Structure formats: structure tokens, C-alpha cells
Amino acid sequence: MNIRKAVIPVAGKGTRFLPATKQIPKEMIPIINIPMIHYSVMEAVNSGIEQLVFVTSTGKESIENYFDRNLELERFLEQNGKEKELELIQKIGTTIEVITVRQKEQLGLGHAINCAKHVIGDDTFAVILGDDLVRSEEPVTRQLAEVSKAQGNKSVIGVMEVPNKDTFRYGIVDGEFLADDKKSLHMKAMIEKPKPSEAPTNLATPGRYILTNEIFDCLDEIPRGVGGEYQLTDAINLLASRDKVFAHIFNGDRFDTGNIEGYLNATVEFALRDEATRDIMMNIIKEKIGTYGIK
Ligand code: G1P
């Protein structure tokens, strides 16, 4: 079964990026000139997703507008002979169908995903959390969708190895590697943000999931968890007690852009990876090292 729908929660307040996020959704803050949400959406598009569900809240309207057409801007670019820019803008506005649903109260990630229930219907779907960007040859959501297909259309959690001291930041999976494969596991349990001493493994999800529709029953049944919120991790843990759930160590470089340090790291790294900006960034770094005497 091909996965055609993805849910991207964008209702968070983005307090780590205040004051910018007083008026701009954190998802619209750009890395150089590309808003962060654009990367998540391109990951979805390049993974074969045809319909995107944004779970939004008040003040997030510019995200929906960004993925819509802007005929006035298109006309302006056309009249001024800016063909390259015109093509780019048209592509962003026409590539994918976007549906928005509102999360009226901020009751956690599990609650946010449950808000998309009526749009997802009976389908298996992907979840992409935009705070983590993953750069890889094959988009990570596609990698997970392939594992899901190979395992009989089951749920798959994308994971990466993290230092043991960092387990308290993530949903951590426990499981057993499949006999013929050192990347995919049969998941036994999933725990939200365990202390290092309580973490069963160091396999953490940066927020990439393929979920079967049964997750919605689980989301309805779980109590509030860590932080008093309805946690997606707890629903996945319940799902794993009812059906086979897999975890998969994906290929790719992941950037945590949910905080200032990760955001700066991604900005420098993306500039260095792109031919158009590489030399500019190199020169800036060289100059700064000279100015500040960094050793
Ligand atoms: C959420 C999830 C967590 C996951 C993380 C990835 O936590 O609850 O399981 O590992 O995203 O970024 P948050 O970072 O929103 O607290």
C-alpha cells in the first residue's frame, strides 16, 4: 500500500524563537531563504505524499498561504522578467494539496494527531515533525514507507542513535532487530523521554512515523502522560501491544532546528552544502576566525 497522506503538526507556540514567533509561526522562520516548513513538506512530496494535513492553531495562517498560489506576486514576477523566481513560486503553490485542521487546545502531540482523524479516514499515514530536518538521498519518510510495505503495511517508527545522556529529550524505542536486518526492529515498547538510567536503548525518534489507522483508537484510550499531555509515544506503545509495530534506523543527517543552537548549526551547514552559498559562508567563517581569534 502506498502512503498518500501525511500529518504535520504546526500548532506549537515556538517560544524558543520569541520574539520572532510573536508574529511569525516558527515553521516560517527560514534557513537562509527557505522556511523550515518547506523542508518538511518537500520531504513529504518526495516521499510520494499527495495530501498534507497541517494541524494548526490561531496565528498560523501564513503557513497555509505559503503553500497556496499568490497570483499578484506571480504577475509581478512575470511582468518583470523574473522567470526563475516565477517558476519557484508557482511550484510551491501548486505541488501539493493542503488541508488544515485546528487544534483548539494545546494538549500534546497525541492530541494534535488525533485532530486529523476525520481527514485521514481509514488510511495509513505519515507523521512528520518539522522541528527536526533530515537530509538524506532517499527522503526519510519514503525509507519508512518502504519498510512498512515490506512488513505487511504495519506502523514504523523512524529512529536514530543518540548519546545515552540525551534520551530524556525523545521518544525511545525498545525492540529486537529482525534476523536478516540490522536496521529494522520489531518494536516491543516505546517510552516518552526516559531518564538515561531508565532508557531501554538509545534509539530515539526525531519525529518520523508511519502509522496505521488503529492509532486513533489508541489515542482515544491513553491517559495524559509526560508533562500532563496526551503523548503520541504512549499511543504507539499501546498500539505495539495490539499489533506488530516496527522501528527503523533511517539513513540521513538530522538537524534539530527546534532550538537556537541546532538552528544555527543547520544554517551554517546548509550554506556550506549549497554551491550557491558555500564560498560566501567559507569566507565569512574565515574572516570571523581572524576577527575573534578563534582557535
Ligand atoms: C516530540 C515527541 C518525542 C520525539 C520528539 C522529536 O517531543 O513527543 O517522542 O522524540 O518530538 O523531536 P517534543 O520535542 O515535541 O517535546
Side-chain angles (χ1 to χ4, degrees), residues 170-238:
Y170 303 97
I172 300 289
V173 307
D174 190 11
E176 275 166 24
F177 281 102
L178 305 185
D180 52 344
D181 183 345
K182 282 286 158 253
K183 289 240 160 190
S184 299
L185 303 94
H186 179 197
M187 203 188 93
K188 282 193 304 204
M190 189 166 186
I191 308 163
E192 181 68 5
K193 302 195 171 85
K195 288 186 212 142
S197 59
E198 284 161 17
T201 69
N202 66 341
L203 296 174
T205 184
R208 295 296 187 282
Y209 317 80
I210 302 292
L211 298 170
T212 58
N213 176 270
E214 286 79 33
I215 195 70
F216 291 115
D217 287 339
C218 300
L219 285 167
D220 283 339
E221 289 174 41
I222 52 162
R224 289 176 192 248
V226 171
E229 297 187 335
Y230 293 100
Q231 297 291 348
L232 180 59
T233 296
D234 293 344
I236 295 171
N237 190 46
L238 182 58

Side-chain angles (χ1 to χ4, degrees), residues 30-47:
I31 294 187
I32 312 178
N33 59 337
I34 300 181
M36 289 198 246
I37 186 73
H38 188 122
Y39 290 96
S40 313
V41 170
M42 288 324 291
E43 180 186 323
V45 170
N46 293 331
S47 299

Side-chain angles (χ1 to χ4, degrees), residues 1 15 22 52 71 74 82 88 95 100 103 118 122 160 169 178 188 199 217 224 236-237 252 268 282-284:
M1 198 201 314
T15 49
K22 183 171 174 242
L52 268 183
L71 295 178
E74 286 181 24
K82 304 219 175 254
L88 176 68
T95 304
T100 59
Q103 184 185 20
H118 61 285
D122 293 334
M160 59 189 183
R169 298 180 194 276
L178 305 185
K188 282 193 304 204
D217 287 339
R224 289 176 192 248
I236 295 171
N237 190 46
V268 175
M282 288 283 220
N283 288 335
I284 292 174

